[in-house]
Amino acid sequence: LSSLKKFDEIKKANQAAAKKLVEDQLSSSSEDDDEDAEVKQGKILDKTFTIYTSQTDGDASELERTRQYMNEAFQSGAMTCLICIASVKRNQAVWSCCGCFCIFHLVCIQKWAKDSLFLVSSPLTDDDFGKKDYPWPCPKCRFEYKRSETPSRYYCYCGKVENPTVDPWLVPHSCGQICEREFKPSCGHKCLLLCHPGPCPPCPKMVTTTCHCKKAKPVPRRCSAKEWSCRLPCGRTLLCGQHACENPCHAGDCQPCPRVSKQRCICGRQTAERLCASPQWQCDQVCGKCLPCGNHTCEQVCHAGPCGDCPRSGKRFCPCGKTKFTLPCTEDVPTCGDSCDKVLECGIHKCSQRCHRGPCEICRQEVEKQCRCGKHTKRMPCHKPYLCETKCTKIRDCQKHQCRRKCCSGNCPPCDQVCGRTLGCRNHKCPSGCHRGSCNPCPETVDVKCSCGKTVIKVPCGRERTIKPPKCKQLCSRPPTCHHSTQEKHYCHFGRCPPCRQPCQKTLTCGHLCPVSCHDEALVKQTSLHQSAGPWEQPSEPAFIQTALPCPPCQVPVLVECLGQHEVGPLPCHSANPYSCKRFCGRLLDCQNHTCMKECHHVTKLDSNADGKKAGPECSQCEEECTKPRPAGCPHRCALPCHPGNCPSCLQMLKIKCHCKLSVLYIECLKLTCADLKEKELLISCRNQCPKELPCGHRCKEICHSGSCPLNCSQKVKLRCLCKRLKKVNVPFAFKISLECDALCKEMKRKAYEIKEAEAKAALEEEKRRQQAELEAFENRLKGRRKNKRRKDEVEVEQSSWQKYKNLIVLPVFGVAVVMV
């Protein structure tokens, strides 16, 4: 069981690690700011804006605000939850405010709404709690939402799809469908962009509308700019009723009339120049008209209409209000003499004086008073408040500090101290009054700049430590650190500039310029002299130091001639010296027949006018035999070593057989090689008869000669016909012809052929007869008729006619043939 439990724990840990790895790969904060990511982001933005730009003929000037929100959605670390001060990743559930369009984590905004509602409703009693729907504000723009509008599910920006899937080819947290949210202010049309963060752009639809004053003809305009002015005078009658509006065509009500005219006040006593827009005004004089009673005058300031009745006429009450009198307006109302009985300022006791004019005195009765906190009592005048010196020990609504107010009634005021807690940004402290729950997000923003300070992005305070600096498109303006006057153009960056890759161009000792890349700040591995104490000591990482390296040897190709002057080839300038081309020297030796076979070498010219192809003292000496061609037919070598000029004559004897190959002759080589064909024929002949046999079978009669023997044989021979019966004697071989057979020869041939055919036919019949007799004997043995008598079947074979008469025919024929021969 323990092993299974341990296996399950390891399995869960591996699954959690794999899930975290996938989340890190899908997070927007882990995207690289390389060129491929920028190209991909541009394609997604173009796809999102395609439908909108098709309505505006490619004009995207109204999309800048929306484009800014979408760029922040792609940029690493730009989308930050202001509640937890953490990056918003692609695969996290989010919520977007409809007022400021700021994006928060769904879990963070739910906790924020819950805490806000609790803080608002905490001072209420149990009876009032839940009866009023208190709102909760957005952490950034303080836009108020009802309790029922607290987000509980994760939706895309347009609100169509719940839990949108993560698609790398869409804007993060977008469903990829058309937004279709109502434009604000509402115009009846819907947003045409794909589901996007931030506000919807102005409506791109075309509508036909007229100007504000309705004087111009209707013209087609963008729905977002359908309110337009024709710039003509408005002409509408102002509120003064006398003048017309002279302002250019405008929206809404006309402004008050700006003209000045003489106007009488309400009572009509004074006249002054005033704005035509405010014709009614009051002067500072009292009316002073005589009232209907005839005894008093009107005390009102400039007014319109009648002054009214005298305020002292009719029935009036005494000062305490108990007795009513009817007196003329010229007489004052007397006191009634009864007690006043008006409630004093204390709200408990009544005035004990007689009816009097003016305010009542303060309450001077001594009562047992309880202090405001209810812990102490004391007898003292009723009009004096009683506050004890006991300080309240209750915790205020911040749940941190005591009230500490003297003689507190129990309804402690809110905490008047400053919160002072460090905000999530870790840079500022909360400036609000001391409160419960989480502090509001830091409202400050911080500028994150590139190295040169020209590219700036604003991020929430606290994110400047984790966000990557913006990618600046300005060129680096730092001075070069090498010997060059200017450095290579590269973009603004942090840290050291990249190594200079410009050509060195320093002048070398040979006069050429160094063509390799700049090597003033090369990284060289530093050799460590420290020896490890043993195999257990880990080797330290190699250290690199930056130092200037000397220029390498000059590699400019220079044409150099080889030692033997065979070729001219390019060599690096630093090694441009005469060299051996590895060929044979090839210079003509003194023998005038061979060349020097040494490898290409230096040759000293003894004579300045000598040929460049003549051998020098450094060349080899010829040790070969003479190899000049000998005269035709001479098989001997020259007796001299290799020499110039012609070879001497050959004096050696040749041992040669004659034409018939029977005799051996000794002839001087010079005679044989110098003789012509006829002389050679005579020299090689042994002067004997040719031993060769002619085709006829006789010996050649000529003297020893070369070539084939002539066919001129004159010896006589016997001639016979084909059947050898006829013959002729002493016929010369040169005139030998064939002897044909006569009629008798042909007749004898025919008879011999007939006899041969008859013999063959008789032999065939004999064979058939023998086979028939064997067959009949075999059949008789199979029948078994005579089982007890065994006897041999005697088969009498009858002789054929040829066997009977062949002797009589053959003997006479052969006799005749012999006689004829």
Side-chain angles (χ1 to χ4, degrees):
L1 294 175
S2 61
S3 60
L4 290 175
K5 185 177 180 180
K6 186 178 293 184
F7 176 78
D8 292 339
E9 291 177 357
I10 296 174
K11 182 178 179 183
K12 290 180 180 179
N14 291 338
Q15 290 177 351
K19 184 177 180 181
K20 184 178 179 181
L21 179 62
V22 173
E23 289 179 355
D24 292 342
Q25 289 179 349
L26 294 176
S27 62
S28 59
S29 61
S30 63
E31 293 179 351
D32 297 330
D33 295 332
D34 52 0
E35 295 182 359
D36 294 339
E38 292 180 359
V39 172
K40 180 180 178 181
Q41 177 180 341
K43 290 181 179 180
I44 296 175
L45 292 179
D46 293 340
K47 180 181 177 182
T48 305
F49 297 149
T50 298
I51 302 178
Y52 185 92
T53 52
S54 64
Q55 297 282 339
T56 60
D57 296 333
D59 183 14
S61 59
E62 301 290 345
L63 296 172
E64 292 304 322
R65 188 180 177 193
T66 306
R67 189 187 296 274
Q68 180 180 358
Y69 278 92
M70 297 183 71
N71 287 332
E72 290 180 356
F74 282 109
Q75 189 175 1
S76 174
M79 289 180 61
T80 305
C81 178
L82 297 180
I83 300 175
C84 64
I85 314 299
S87 298
V88 178
K89 299 180 180 179
R90 282 178 174 266
N91 58 338
Q92 292 176 333
V94 297
W95 175 82
S96 176
C97 176
C98 62
C100 60
F101 303 100
C102 186
I103 295 176
F104 306 90
H105 292 124
L106 183 62
V107 177
C108 295
I109 198 63
Q110 288 174 344
K111 185 177 182 298
W112 174 271
K114 183 179 179 181
D115 293 344
S116 300
L117 292 174
F118 177 76
L119 292 175
V120 171
S121 59
S122 60
L124 302 178
T125 61
D126 294 339
D127 297 336
D128 296 334
F129 186 79
K131 292 183 178 179
K132 189 175 180 181
D133 188 9
Y134 289 95
W136 57 273
C138 169
K140 182 178 181 181
C141 65
R142 317 308 294 178
F143 183 84
E144 293 186 347
Y145 292 90
K146 297 179 181 179
R147 183 192 297 268
S148 59
E149 294 176 345
T150 303
S152 60
R153 297 182 180 180
Y154 169 40
Y155 288 94
C156 62
Y157 297 115
C158 64
K160 292 180 182 178
V161 179
E162 182 180 353
N163 295 324
T165 58
V166 179
D167 191 342
W169 287 100
L170 291 178
V171 180
H173 314 291
S174 171
C175 64
Q177 302 180 23
I178 298 177
C179 178
E180 293 186 346
R181 286 185 286 185
E182 294 286 344
F183 286 112
K184 294 182 181 180
S186 179
C187 64
H189 302 124
K190 296 182 179 180
C191 180
L192 300 177
L193 298 182
L194 299 183
C195 182
H196 62 90
C200 295
C203 181
K205 294 286 186 180
M206 298 296 293
V207 295
T208 303
T209 180
T210 185
C211 63
H212 300 296
C213 65
K214 311 297 181 183
K215 293 181 180 179
K217 294 181 179 180
V219 294
R221 293 179 64 86
R222 300 276 179 209
C223 183
S224 58
K226 60 184 177 182
E227 301 291 337
W228 64 286
S229 173
C230 63
R231 312 308 298 172
L232 297 176
C234 177
R236 285 184 285 185
T237 303
L238 300 176
L239 296 177
C240 66
Q242 298 177 5
H243 306 105
C245 180
E246 297 179 355
N247 292 331
C249 176
H250 60 85
D253 297 332
C254 298
Q255 296 180 359
C257 184
R259 296 188 179 185
V260 178
S261 60
K262 291 184 178 182
Q263 309 254 352
R264 286 184 177 274
C265 64
I266 296 176
C267 66
R269 293 182 180 181
Q270 293 185 3
T271 302
E273 290 186 352
R274 296 181 60 84
L275 291 175
C276 190
S278 56
Q280 294 185 355
W281 62 287
Q282 286 180 324
C283 62
D284 298 333
Q285 295 184 8
V286 178
C287 179
K289 291 182 182 180
C290 186
L291 296 176
C293 66
N295 298 320
H296 303 95
T297 57
C298 180
E299 296 179 358
Q300 297 182 21
V301 182
C302 177
H303 65 88
C307 296
D309 296 335
C310 180
R312 297 171 62 89
S313 62
K315 294 180 179 181
R316 289 178 286 173
F317 289 94
C318 66
C320 67
K322 294 180 180 180
T323 306
K324 187 183 294 185
F325 296 93
T326 302
L327 296 172
C329 65
T330 56
E331 297 181 5
D332 294 332
V333 177
T335 57
C336 64
D338 196 358
S339 60
C340 180
D341 289 339
K342 289 182 180 178
V343 178
L344 298 177
E345 292 180 356
C346 66
I348 301 174
H349 304 104
K350 294 182 180 181
C351 181
S352 59
Q353 296 181 358
R354 292 188 180 276
C355 180
H356 60 86
R357 291 183 176 87
C360 299
E361 294 182 352
I362 59 176
C363 183
R364 298 183 183 276
Q365 294 188 24
E366 286 192 0
V367 293
E368 190 80 15
K369 295 194 73 171
Q370 191 176 24
C371 65
R372 188 166 56 185
C373 65
K375 294 182 179 180
H376 303 281
T377 58
K378 184 179 182 181
R379 288 193 65 82
M380 59 186 304
C382 183
H383 70 278
K384 291 184 178 180
Y386 176 41
L387 298 176
C388 67
E389 297 297 324
T390 304
K391 293 183 179 180
C392 181
T393 59
K394 288 185 178 180
I395 302 298
R396 295 190 179 186
D397 56 354
C398 66
Q399 298 296 318
K400 294 181 181 179
H401 305 107
Q402 291 182 343
C403 178
R404 307 301 294 171
R405 190 174 62 160
K406 289 183 179 181
C407 194
C408 181
S409 62
N411 187 14
C412 302
C415 186
D416 55 355
Q417 297 188 32
V418 179
C419 176
R421 286 185 291 178
T422 303
L423 298 177
C425 64
R426 304 297 179 187
N427 296 329
H428 304 95
K429 294 186 177 181
C430 180
S432 304
C434 189
H435 58 86
R436 283 186 292 175
S438 301
C439 298
N440 291 339
C442 181
E444 301 292 333
T445 58
V446 181
D447 291 342
V448 178
K449 299 181 180 180
C450 64
S451 179
C452 65
K454 295 182 180 179
T455 304
V456 182
I457 59 173
K458 291 185 178 295
V459 297
C461 183
R463 291 291 293 169
E464 69 275 6
R465 291 185 290 270
T466 57
I467 194 171
K468 293 181 180 179
K471 195 172 184 180
C472 182
K473 297 297 183 181
Q474 301 293 330
L475 295 178
C476 180
S477 58
R478 297 180 187 178
T481 55
C482 60
H483 68 277
H484 293 100
S485 59
T486 59
Q487 62 177 346
E488 287 183 303
K489 292 183 179 180
H490 60 278
Y491 292 124
C492 171
H493 60 90
F494 288 94
R496 296 178 59 86
C497 291
C500 180
R501 294 185 177 85
Q502 301 181 72
C504 179
Q505 296 297 310
K506 288 183 180 178
T507 304
L508 302 176
T509 55
C510 60
H512 297 115
L513 299 179
C514 180
V516 300
S517 298
C518 181
H519 44 83
D520 287 352
E521 297 178 342
L523 290 176
V524 180
K525 185 177 179 181
Q526 188 177 15
T527 57
S528 177
L529 300 178
H530 172 72
Q531 294 184 355
S532 59
W536 57 85
E537 185 177 356
Q538 295 293 333
S540 60
E541 295 184 358
F544 291 87
I545 58 174
Q546 198 171 36
T547 182
L549 298 178
C551 294
C554 182
Q555 299 293 333
V556 177
V558 178
L559 296 177
V560 179
E561 190 176 28
C562 70
L563 294 171
Q565 299 178 353
H566 301 111
E567 63 178 19
V568 176
L571 289 179
C573 181
H574 72 279
S575 59
N577 298 318
Y579 64 99
S580 174
C581 63
K582 305 300 181 181
R583 299 180 184 175
F584 292 117
C585 176
R587 292 177 180 270
L588 190 63
L589 299 178
D590 294 337
C591 66
Q592 302 296 319
N593 297 323
H594 300 95
T595 57
C596 179
M597 298 305 291
K598 282 187 178 181
E599 190 179 287
C600 177
H601 59 89
H602 175 70
V603 178
T604 303
K605 291 184 178 180
L606 300 177
D607 187 2
S608 59
N609 298 325
D611 188 6
K613 296 183 179 181
K614 188 175 181 180
E618 294 83 3
C619 294
S620 60
Q621 299 295 325
C622 182
E623 297 177 357
E624 300 289 333
E625 296 179 353
C626 179
T627 57
K628 290 183 179 180
R630 306 295 292 164
C634 178
H636 307 106
R637 293 183 177 181
C638 178
L640 300 177
C642 186
H643 59 86
N646 297 326
C647 298
S649 300
C650 183
L651 302 177
Q652 296 190 35
M653 300 297 289
L654 289 177
K655 183 179 179 181
I656 302 175
K657 287 187 177 183
C658 63
H659 296 299
C660 59
K661 309 299 181 183
L662 295 178
S663 301
V664 177
L665 305 178
Y666 291 91
I667 307 171
E668 288 186 10
C669 183
L670 179 61
K671 290 183 179 180
L672 184 63
T673 55
C674 295
D676 56 5
L677 293 177
K678 290 183 179 180
E679 292 175 351
K680 284 183 179 181
E681 183 75 17
L682 294 175
L683 288 174
I684 301 176
S685 178
C686 61
R687 302 288 193 271
N688 297 322
Q689 183 182 355
C690 179
K692 296 179 183 178
E693 187 178 355
L694 296 177
C696 62
H698 304 113
R699 184 176 178 180
C700 179
K701 301 296 184 179
E702 298 291 331
I703 301 302
C704 178
H705 62 86
S706 63
S708 57
C709 297
L711 300 177
N712 54 358
C713 182
S714 58
Q715 190 171 351
K716 295 182 179 182
V717 295
K718 295 180 180 180
L719 186 62
R720 291 179 179 272
C721 67
L722 293 178
C723 63
K724 306 298 182 182
R725 188 180 69 82
L726 300 179
K727 71 177 180 179
K728 289 184 179 181
V729 185
N730 296 329
V731 178
F733 185 78
F735 302 101
K736 185 178 178 180
I737 57 175
S738 60
L739 184 63
E740 295 182 358
C741 296
D742 55 1
L744 182 60
C745 291
K746 292 179 180 180
E747 181 64 23
M748 290 178 66
K749 284 183 180 180
R750 185 182 62 77
K751 288 182 179 181
Y753 178 75
E754 288 178 355
I755 292 170
K756 193 173 182 179
E757 285 291 328
E759 288 179 352
K761 187 176 180 180
L764 182 60
E765 289 177 357
E766 182 65 23
E767 181 66 23
K768 285 181 180 182
R769 192 177 292 108
R770 187 182 61 79
Q771 290 178 357
Q772 183 65 29
E774 289 180 357
L775 180 60
E776 289 177 358
F778 180 74
E779 288 177 354
N780 291 334
R781 281 195 303 271
L782 288 179
K783 288 179 181 180
R785 292 180 179 177
R786 299 176 181 177
K787 296 181 181 179
N788 298 327
K789 296 181 180 181
R790 293 183 178 178
R791 60 182 182 178
K792 295 181 181 179
D793 295 334
E794 295 179 0
V795 180
E796 185 177 355
V797 180
E798 184 181 358
Q799 292 184 351
S800 62
S801 59
W802 167 255
Q803 292 177 348
K804 292 179 180 180
Y805 306 109
K806 64 180 179 180
N807 294 330
L808 298 177
I809 297 173
V810 173
L811 291 176
V813 171
F814 278 102
V816 174
V818 170
V819 172
M820 292 177 67
V821 174

